[in-house]
Amino acid sequence: GHINSLIDAGSVLDMLCPSGCGELTDSDIQAVVSADRFAQYQQFQFIARLRLEPDCRWCPGASCSHGVVADRADPKFPQLACDACGMAFCFDCSQEWHEGLSCKAAAKKRSKQEKKSMSKAKRRAEKDTKRYLRDISAKRCPRCRALSVRQSGCNHMECRCGHEWCWLCGETIITAVGSSSYPWHYSTGACIGLQMSSKNELPLYRKAARTVVTPAKYGLMAVGAVGIGAAAVVGS
């Protein structure tokens, strides 16, 4: 019924009784759903709370998607360690930890190592993959670098990591809880009026305008509001 619908929608924080008697407790929910459903509810709730944590980063391990909340007072910061798989990674770039190197230098080193170790066949396969991703207009989430494809909806995207961004220009859009405002990002700057545009890139004249007019980098939209574009994650 009502509770199962909320769980399916991911609306698992501050769930309210449909009869108007107030907020539902975990005990209330556990009493009316199955054990498996309650376990799913707890998992969704844990992830939802992590998404609200600004110091949360997601493990970049190939077979891991565990969230880690950073302790900025830790002497090892910005080095993080995944509690699930033990992988050490960087808070700033969300890549494997790079001792003694800046994120930029580590990225260059990884690129050189990958090119050196990649066989001719692998290079060809990589080239084919990149061509395919270009053909289907895949883009990377600015935060976690997961590849996404816009399937439907507007240009206000939401990645599985919780990051909200503009499909056209890649800038961050922050959700303000309790706000019902039309996203400011699409009412000023280079993306004005393009929230529902079917384009995949900003027109050239709009890109040029970004260098002259400083756009509003942050829009406001209520959590769960209709209009967030659907993104299919295809890799990272």
Side-chain angles (χ1 to χ4, degrees), residues 132-161:
Y132 167 73
L133 293 174
R134 184 174 61 250
D135 291 343
I136 63 174
S137 301
K139 294 185 180 182
R140 290 188 181 275
C141 167
R143 175 193 283 175
C144 71
R145 308 304 294 167
L147 282 168
S148 301
V149 177
R150 186 181 63 169
Q151 295 180 324
S152 63
C154 69
N155 288 309
H156 180 175
M157 310 304 292
E158 182 175 6
C159 180
R160 66 181 179 186
C161 73

Side-chain angles (χ1 to χ4, degrees), residues 91-204:
F91 174 86
D92 296 318
C93 67
S94 294
Q95 295 294 326
E96 187 174 1
W97 179 244
H98 41 82
E99 186 69 37
L101 294 175
S102 66
C103 295
K104 186 176 181 179
K108 288 183 178 180
K109 182 179 179 180
R110 282 195 304 271
S111 180
K112 289 181 179 179
Q113 290 175 337
E114 289 170 0
K115 289 179 180 179
K116 186 176 180 180
S117 61
M118 193 179 293
S119 66
K120 186 176 181 179
K122 287 184 178 180
R123 289 180 184 177
R124 186 182 300 112
E126 181 74 11
K127 186 176 180 179
D128 291 341
T129 300
K130 287 182 178 180
R131 183 184 299 111
Y132 167 73
L133 293 174
R134 184 174 61 250
D135 291 343
I136 63 174
S137 301
K139 294 185 180 182
R140 290 188 181 275
C141 167
R143 175 193 283 175
C144 71
R145 308 304 294 167
L147 282 168
S148 301
V149 177
R150 186 181 63 169
Q151 295 180 324
S152 63
C154 69
N155 288 309
H156 180 175
M157 310 304 292
E158 182 175 6
C159 180
R160 66 181 179 186
C161 73
H163 186 64
E164 296 180 29
W165 51 287
C166 175
W167 179 262
L168 293 174
C169 69
E171 289 183 353
T172 296
I173 296 176
I174 290 182
T175 294
V177 178
S179 170
S180 59
S181 303
Y182 184 86
W184 289 352
H185 184 86
Y186 298 103
S187 60
T188 184
C191 296
I192 184 170
L194 296 181
Q195 183 176 9
M196 302 303 296
S197 170
S198 60
K199 298 180 182 295
N200 282 314
E201 301 286 347
L202 278 178
L204 289 176

